[in-house]
Amino acid sequence: MSKLFKRVCCLSLAVAMTATLFVGCGEKEKENTSSETKATVSEKTDTSASAKTAEEEKGFKIDPSKKCTIRFYTSAALNKTEMDENLPEFNKKYPNITVETVLLPGADYLAKLKTSIVAGEQIDVIEVSTANLERAQAGSMYMPLNDLADKVGMDVQKEYGDYVKQLTVDDKLYGIPKYLAPGGIWYNKKHFDEAGIPYPTPDWTWDEFFEIAKKLTKKDASGKVTRYGFYDWSFMSGGVAATINNLALFGGWEMFNDDGTLNSIDDPRYKKAVESYYNAAMVDKSIPDIATVTAEKLHYMYDMYKGRWSMLISARNTALFFDIHRQNGQLTTEDDDAGIYGLAYMPKWDKNSPSKQSIDSVGGDAICKNTKNPDEAFAFIYWHTTDCLLGSSKIAHRVPASRTVDTKTLMDNWTYYKNKDGNIVKGKDRADLYKILLDPEIKPIFPVNSYKYPYSSKVNDELNKEMSLLFAGEKDMAKALADAKAAMQKAYEAEKK
Amino acid sequence: MAISRKKVRNTIEGYLFIFPNLLGFLVFTLFSVVFSAVISFTNWDMITGFSEMKFIGLSNYIDLFKDNWFIDSILNNLFFIAFIPLYLFLALLVAVVVNGSIYFNKTVRTILYLPQVTNVVIVSLVWSYLLRPNGGIINNILMSIGIANPPQWLGSTTWVKPAMVLMSIWGGLGYNTILYLAGLQSIPKDLYEAADIDGAGILKKFFRITIPMVSPTTFFMLIMGIIGSFQMWSNIQILTDGGPGTASTVIGFYIYKTAFQYGKMGYASSMAWILFIIVLVVTLIQWRGQKKWVNYL
């Protein structure tokens, strides 16, 4: 009896352990993990709501008897904040649709996402952006939205303008733009006044920008820089090649042509862009060099508040975070009250170029190719990119890509923020900055082909490698450019086959 | 016959006990290893599915040896491996000192072990401050002793690897010291007493008794150190992202980038297999060589 009991116990233990081993492999449909937030309010909502929604007016026809769950994958915590605030509103419109927000934070968001899709996870809506839309294999990840948009009568070009191009590959629309990361130049008015330099106008050029930066740079008696003329947000975040590519884009140069062929870095526009940054970093010392940027982990805005540089190439929507920065102590009350930070339009390539051009990248939503609920997912992303953005604009400050969002309400809501106690309070009126931020005359530009091809990433890495050596002082410019050209061509040919 | 039946029953019970682990090994390790070997001969990119996968023979393996990033990564790893004897020697020296009677012995041991239990991100950030080219503590010290142009450290192709070695020595010293302390305590005291009677000095005892007697520990740490060097990644990603150029790119970092950034799973798998072969060969050489220098009591 005792032996039999022992055997039964052993067998049960073995089975239990085996089962436990595989429990983790199954899809957790009901479980709520720490990184996964589930918000369902359908039970609480009034299903009899009969007022016509914007979606219904647009032609969205969702079967109210079909219950479904939409899983929204995002890397941005701000999306979760928005969803927590606004999901009840969505469920008033669509009580049958449950939305789960799954947060995948970190720089490897796209890698995690691909792995999850391959593993067969239920993924319906995917947060995408100009930089992280998988263009090389777009059709393997996302569902084209052209037909869905046509079905509901949505004119995406009219509603989002050129921003849709950033989420379009080979004429297939893979994402609906939601918000912008709009380019702009921040400048310290106090530093300009001290140096007797007039504030920038919309017609200033990049040559003037670098010249002003040189004038604003301060050095001590030993030649050590005590204040840089400017800093570029992308210098650290995207690598030095991305910074130079952005500048060359103002001159119309891009790494790849429309047919996918490699553009030459012998192009005078590219050379001018390299020289401008090289002279700034290595000769004039008007921007911190790469060694300093790498070692000091400089923060583009906080270090500007500390007076470490006078101008900043960054995003116009930084204006939306001033109240938070002030609350957290990064921006001093005195400086903020004095309004010492001005926002300028990005400079022109040369005198003959159009003014008010800006590298505006977008973030938005795509639908996963594996979704079983495309109509519901599309209704969700339309709401998410419009009403949700506006509805949460007191706490999640974002610049909309859609032209239909009520900008007056938006600008009013932007004056509010969530304080440390979690209360929504009114901040400083910054209407002057918000007007520049939303200026309809700004012409967005972006690298149309740079991320598009399977070989884009590898070729860009070759360029970045050589540019990083140039800016580390390890190679001279002619050698770095020649080596970059050869390496890019080799990578392009190898990858293209 | 009865004994044989009992044996069979015992065997079945034994297999039942290891079955969960065996199943886990088969599914999560063996399958992955075999799968990786198979896809290393394909152009699989993970996302397009198996229908688009094509067998391309040895192309991935041939391309590897034309890939400068791969070659640079392997060379960088070999650079780090070359410093492992230095890591071990320093750890042994510290262990010998700590093993003797010194003041605040336990406090010193705790301090030595602290880097091992500190988050790698925090350690990397602290070192980035120490290694600042302008105003960093290390360069300030170097300038105060008369070095007018101290290294750019993380921003220089020449100095980025020595900076990483410095960080690794500091980070791994505590762990290596603890292992050596355990090894030192297993050395019979009478060996030192006999050496004292023969008139041997401290150095002679260190080189003739201590080093040979801790050789099994050294052998273990050497193998683990080499494997660890090939797995180096996190501090490099945090501090340099493999740059400048490819100066600090290591093989683990490049495999990840190839698989998930470039989407070339097949090519990344072929790199992983070459890495496996390198580690295997190095370990076999060490295993053969150990007969000549490792002393087991």
Side-chain angles (χ1 to χ4, degrees), chain B residues 109-122:
Chain B
R109 288 182 192 202
T110 308
I111 291 170
L112 276 172
Y113 201 71
L114 266 181
Q116 194 65 33
V117 291
T118 309
N119 185 298
V120 67
V121 178
I122 306 292

Side-chain angles (χ1 to χ4, degrees), chain B residues 4 37 68 91 141 143-144 159 180 187-188 193 199-200 231 239 247 265 268:
Chain B
S4 165
N68 288 338
I141 293 169
M143 286 168 87
S144 71
W159 289 100
Y180 269 130
I187 301 175
E193 285 164 11
Q231 290 173 340
L239 285 175
M265 279 287 168

Side-chain angles (χ1 to χ4, degrees), chain B:
Chain B
M1 190 65 190
I3 294 168
S4 165
R5 197 177 293 161
K6 195 179 176 187
K7 249 187 179 178
V8 170
R9 201 180 299 139
N10 282 347
T11 309
I12 291 171
E13 280 176 5
Y15 275 114
L16 277 176
F17 271 116
I18 63 165
F19 181 68
N21 193 288
L22 197 64
L23 201 60
F25 170 78
L26 288 173
V27 174
F28 296 116
T29 307
L30 191 65
F31 171 76
S32 311
V33 167
V34 173
F35 183 70
S36 141
V38 172
I39 63 164
S40 72
F41 297 101
T42 72
N43 65 347
W44 192 51
D45 68 356
M46 185 168 83
I47 197 72
T48 48
F50 294 113
S51 56
E52 300 288 319
M53 187 169 83
K54 279 187 196 145
F55 276 88
I56 53 171
L58 289 171
S59 286
N60 285 335
Y61 288 92
I62 294 165
D63 289 348
L64 274 182
F65 295 97
K66 296 179 201 159
D67 183 345
N68 288 338
W69 290 71
F70 175 73
I71 293 164
D72 288 351
S73 303
I74 291 284
L75 291 176
N76 290 338
N77 274 114
L78 293 177
F79 180 94
F80 293 126
I81 286 170
F83 282 87
I84 291 176
L86 176 67
Y87 293 17
L88 300 185
F89 187 70
L90 286 174
L92 180 58
L93 278 183
V94 175
V96 168
V97 172
V98 173
N99 196 38
S101 23
I102 59 163
Y103 290 112
F104 308 112
N105 196 315
K106 284 182 181 168
T107 312
V108 171
R109 288 182 192 202
T110 308
I111 291 170
L112 276 172
Y113 201 71
L114 266 181
Q116 194 65 33
V117 291
T118 309
N119 185 298
V120 67
V121 178
I122 306 292
V123 168
S124 302
L125 288 177
V126 168
W127 273 96
S128 77
Y129 282 103
L130 293 174
L131 293 168
R132 277 182 184 187
N134 305 312
I137 294 171
I138 292 175
N139 275 7
N140 278 351
I141 293 169
L142 292 175
M143 286 168 87
S144 71
I145 59 169
I147 298 170
N149 293 308
Q152 292 281 297
W153 297 113
L154 303 176
S156 150
T157 50
T158 313
W159 289 100
V160 67
K161 283 193 284 285
M164 290 294 169
V165 169
L166 199 62
M167 268 182 67
S168 301
I169 289 177
W170 178 83
L173 191 65
Y175 176 72
N176 292 338
T177 302
I178 296 287
L179 289 180
Y180 269 130
L181 273 172
L184 287 175
Q185 277 156 19
S186 67
I187 301 175
K189 293 276 183 292
D190 49 2
L191 290 178
Y192 290 107
E193 285 164 11
D196 284 337
I197 292 165
D198 291 341
I202 293 174
L203 281 180
K204 214 162 211 171
K205 282 192 283 184
F206 179 72
F207 284 106
R208 295 291 173 89
I209 299 174
T210 308
I211 290 183
M213 293 307 288
V214 293
S215 56
T217 311
T218 307
F219 177 59
F220 167 74
M221 286 160 65
L222 193 63
I223 289 184
M224 296 313 287
I226 289 173
I227 293 172
S229 285
F230 276 115
Q231 290 173 340
M232 265 179 89
W233 182 8
S234 45
N235 50 0
I236 285 175
Q237 189 173 25
I238 296 163
L239 285 175
T240 66
D241 206 24
T246 50
S248 61
T249 301
V250 285
I251 189 64
F253 183 69
Y254 188 49
I255 289 175
Y256 175 82
K257 203 170 175 174
T258 305
F260 294 103
Q261 193 173 318
Y262 305 151
K264 296 166 79 177
M265 279 287 168
Y267 190 56
S269 293
S270 65
M271 269 190 257
W273 275 94
I274 293 294
L275 174 62
F276 167 73
I277 291 165
I278 292 172
V279 173
L280 181 71
V281 168
V282 171
T283 308
L284 285 177
I285 291 170
Q286 285 177 318
W287 202 261
R288 284 283 171 95
Q290 57 131 351
K291 288 172 189 161
K292 291 180 183 161
W293 63 274
V294 179
N295 299 291
Y296 294 101
L297 275 178

Side-chain angles (χ1 to χ4, degrees), chain A residues 117-355:
Chain A
I117 291 174
V118 173
E121 288 256 339
Q122 186 201 334
I123 301 174
D124 300 285
V125 176
I126 300 170
E127 177 221 338
V128 289
S129 69
T130 307
N132 76 14
L133 184 82
E134 173 57 66
R135 288 176 175 79
Q137 310 290 350
S140 302
M141 280 185 78
Y142 319 112
M143 176 178 284
L145 304 179
N146 308 61
D147 291 345
L148 286 166
D150 289 346
K151 197 169 156 185
V152 299
M154 184 196 283
D155 184 343
V156 287
Q157 186 63 39
K158 190 177 164 194
E159 186 151 351
Y160 300 97
D162 280 350
Y163 293 122
V164 287
K165 288 181 185 168
Q166 300 193 31
L167 303 178
T168 301
V169 181
D170 297 333
D171 295 331
K172 286 182 182 159
L173 176 69
Y174 284 111
I176 296 293
K178 179 183 181 187
Y179 60 89
L180 308 179
I185 308 277
W186 289 95
Y187 62 98
N188 187 318
K189 291 178 182 171
K190 214 157 80 177
H191 295 176
F192 271 67
D193 293 342
E194 281 166 11
I197 299 169
Y199 300 151
T201 66
D203 283 323
W204 67 332
T205 63
W206 280 107
D207 286 341
E208 287 164 351
F209 170 87
F210 285 107
E211 199 53 41
I212 291 170
K214 192 174 162 182
K215 285 179 189 161
L216 288 166
T217 302
K218 273 188 171 177
K219 294 172 186 167
D220 64 15
S222 67
K224 189 180 165 193
V225 177
T226 54
R227 185 180 80 197
Y228 295 100
F230 78 109
Y231 185 68
D232 189 324
W233 175 79
S234 66
F235 215 45
M236 182 70 194
S237 61
V240 65
T243 306
I244 295 164
N245 293 352
N246 282 347
L247 179 54
L249 189 63
F250 279 87
W253 183 92
E254 204 186 336
M255 193 186 298
F256 298 103
N257 299 309
D258 289 341
D259 59 359
T261 53
L262 190 60
N263 215 340
S264 174
I265 56 170
D266 287 337
D267 190 293
R269 294 167 295 178
Y270 188 79
K271 280 190 169 170
K272 185 185 170 189
V274 178
E275 278 166 9
S276 299
Y277 269 98
Y278 183 83
N279 288 336
M282 309 301 280
V283 181
D284 304 334
K285 307 279 181 195
S286 56
I287 183 171
D289 58 36
I290 291 288
T292 307
V293 171
T294 307
E296 298 194 25
K297 305 280 178 212
L298 298 168
H299 190 281
Y300 64 104
M301 206 66 214
Y302 299 163
D303 281 298
M304 182 166 188
Y305 295 146
K306 289 176 192 164
R308 292 199 66 183
W309 41 80
S310 305
M311 293 189 288
L312 171 69
I313 302 173
S314 176
R316 300 197 297 280
N317 60 339
T318 302
L320 305 178
F321 303 105
F322 277 3
D323 287 316
I324 304 284
H325 292 168
R326 178 177 171 153
Q327 172 187 244
N328 295 343
Q330 288 111 359
L331 171 61
T332 65
T333 309
E334 301 78 54
D335 283 351
D336 193 29
D337 286 344
I340 69 164
Y341 297 106
L343 178 56
Y345 296 97
M346 296 199 88
K348 306 194 296 185
W349 179 251
D350 56 30
K351 289 283 176 202
N352 301 320
S353 308
S355 56

